[in-house]
């Protein structure tokens, strides 16, 4: 994590490749991820498509990566503007998550007014601003839920966003799926939902270029070619070279047009 510039987001190459080859804009994927991080979901309450995966990414980072980095594995105190109200809100949301007889989505929606009260009770946000610029043209707006999660876990948005992006690899995903090796990767699961049409993030009309058509034509043939490779590492390496080659061809063609 860049402690000096927590507002500078580094987009890893494999995330760019996955976004480009699937006709997504990286900024839209990140904004959609931000929109689905839910404080309610950090307290349980059941499965909610998209929200569960996105929130698990932040929880996974907080527990596995961030917490061990802190001295004595303890978080510093939070400077609540209204500690009594904040504590009351967190307890109330936790109770809502444990309610029986309601769907998780209904409980999440019911919790929103209390989340708003918690947002106001925290008041001063040291870790997460209201928005940042991904580049000169793309602004990422942080939701109340996302800012609450950042503040309570003392994490800059950069840490969560880069962790999410770094967990997405078309090469790894395709290799593990092809070899039927199960793995827990909520970031990859979230991205897979996008590929299935969740969020409708693709442009309504996609004008296929020659390089994109070449990629589509080559995919099935390549799947068949790597079928005999049973080593996960070797299969991942093969897919990584394949996807990067076609990504570079698409980018080159785009710059020439």
């Amino acid at each position: 994590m860049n402690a000096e510039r927590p507002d500078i987001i580094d987009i890893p190459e494999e995330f760019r490749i996955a976004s480009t080859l699937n006709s997504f804009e990286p900024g839209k994927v990140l904004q959609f991820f931000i929109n689905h991080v839910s404080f309610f979901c950090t307290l349980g309450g059941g499965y909610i498509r998209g929200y569960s995966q996105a929130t698990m990414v932040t929880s996974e980072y907080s527990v596995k990566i961030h917490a061990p980095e802190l001295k004595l594995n303890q978080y510093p105190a939070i400077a609540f503007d209204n500690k009594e109200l904040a504590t009351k809100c967190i307890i109330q949301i936790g109770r809502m998550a444990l309610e029986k007889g309601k769907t998780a989505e209904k409980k999440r929606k019911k919790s929103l007014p209390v989340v708003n009260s918690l947002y106001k009770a925290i008041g001063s946000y040291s870790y997460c601003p209201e928005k940042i610029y991904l580049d000169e043209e793309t602004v990422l707006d942080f939701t109340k839920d996302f800012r609450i999660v950042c503040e309570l876990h003392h994490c800059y948005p950069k840490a969560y966003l880069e962790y999410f992006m770094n967990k997405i690899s078309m090469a790894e995903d395709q290799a593990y799926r092809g070899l039927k090796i199960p793995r827990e990767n909520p970031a990859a699961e979230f991205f897979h939902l996008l590929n299935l049409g969740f969020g409708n993030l693709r442009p309504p009309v996609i004008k296929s270029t020659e390089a994109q058509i070449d990629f589509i034509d080559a995919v099935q043939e390549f799947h068949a070619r790597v079928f005999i490779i049973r080593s996960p590492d070797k299969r991942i390496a093969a897919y990584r070279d394949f996807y990067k080659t076609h990504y570079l061809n698409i980018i080159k063609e785009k710059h020439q047009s």
Side-chain angles (χ1 to χ4, degrees), residues 25-214:
E25 293 181 19
K28 289 186 177 181
V29 173
L30 290 177
Q31 185 63 63
F32 202 64
F33 167 73
I34 291 166
N35 294 348
H36 284 78
V37 171
S38 164
F39 178 69
F40 168 84
C41 288
T42 66
L43 302 180
Y47 176 81
I48 308 175
R49 188 185 189 206
Y51 288 96
S52 292
Q53 288 85 354
T55 306
M56 182 58 69
V57 173
T58 60
S59 297
E60 187 177 83
Y61 176 83
S62 298
V63 173
K64 293 183 179 181
I65 308 298
H66 189 55
E69 292 177 346
L70 299 176
K71 292 182 179 179
L72 301 179
N73 207 22
Q74 294 180 350
Y75 286 94
I78 300 172
F80 293 112
D81 280 10
N82 189 331
K83 185 176 181 180
E84 183 178 350
L85 176 59
T87 303
K88 180 180 178 181
C89 289
I90 293 172
I91 292 173
Q92 189 175 353
I93 296 169
R95 287 174 177 169
M96 288 181 180
L98 297 175
E99 286 182 4
K100 304 295 184 181
K102 294 180 181 177
T103 66
E105 177 58 14
K106 285 185 178 180
K107 290 189 289 185
R108 185 191 71 82
K109 289 182 178 179
K110 181 182 176 182
S111 74
L112 293 179
V114 187
V115 171
N116 287 336
S117 296
L118 174 60
Y119 181 80
K120 294 176 182 177
I122 292 176
S124 302
Y125 287 82
S126 303
Y127 291 88
C128 186
E130 293 184 0
K131 61 184 177 181
I132 60 172
Y133 283 89
L134 184 63
D135 53 46
E136 292 182 357
E137 300 178 350
T138 308
V139 178
L140 297 178
D141 294 305
F142 296 116
T143 63
K144 292 179 180 179
D145 280 84
F146 192 90
R147 296 188 77 196
I148 289 171
V149 170
C150 286
E151 200 66 25
L152 293 183
H153 288 285
H154 300 271
C155 281
Y156 291 111
K158 172 187 175 69
Y160 286 137
L161 296 179
E162 290 183 357
Y163 183 76
F164 166 69
M165 290 187 287
N166 279 305
K167 299 291 282 187
I168 293 172
S169 165
M170 284 184 69
E172 292 183 10
D173 190 54
Q174 188 60 54
Y176 285 120
R177 287 179 185 273
L179 293 170
K180 297 183 179 180
I181 299 176
R183 62 174 184 151
E184 186 175 341
N185 186 339
E189 291 171 14
F190 185 85
F191 197 83
H192 184 61
L193 288 177
L194 303 186
N195 273 323
L196 295 177
F198 183 57
N200 297 315
L201 295 189
R202 290 188 177 93
V205 178
I206 300 175
K207 185 178 179 181
S208 296
T209 65
E210 184 176 341
Q212 288 171 325
I213 294 172
D214 287 343

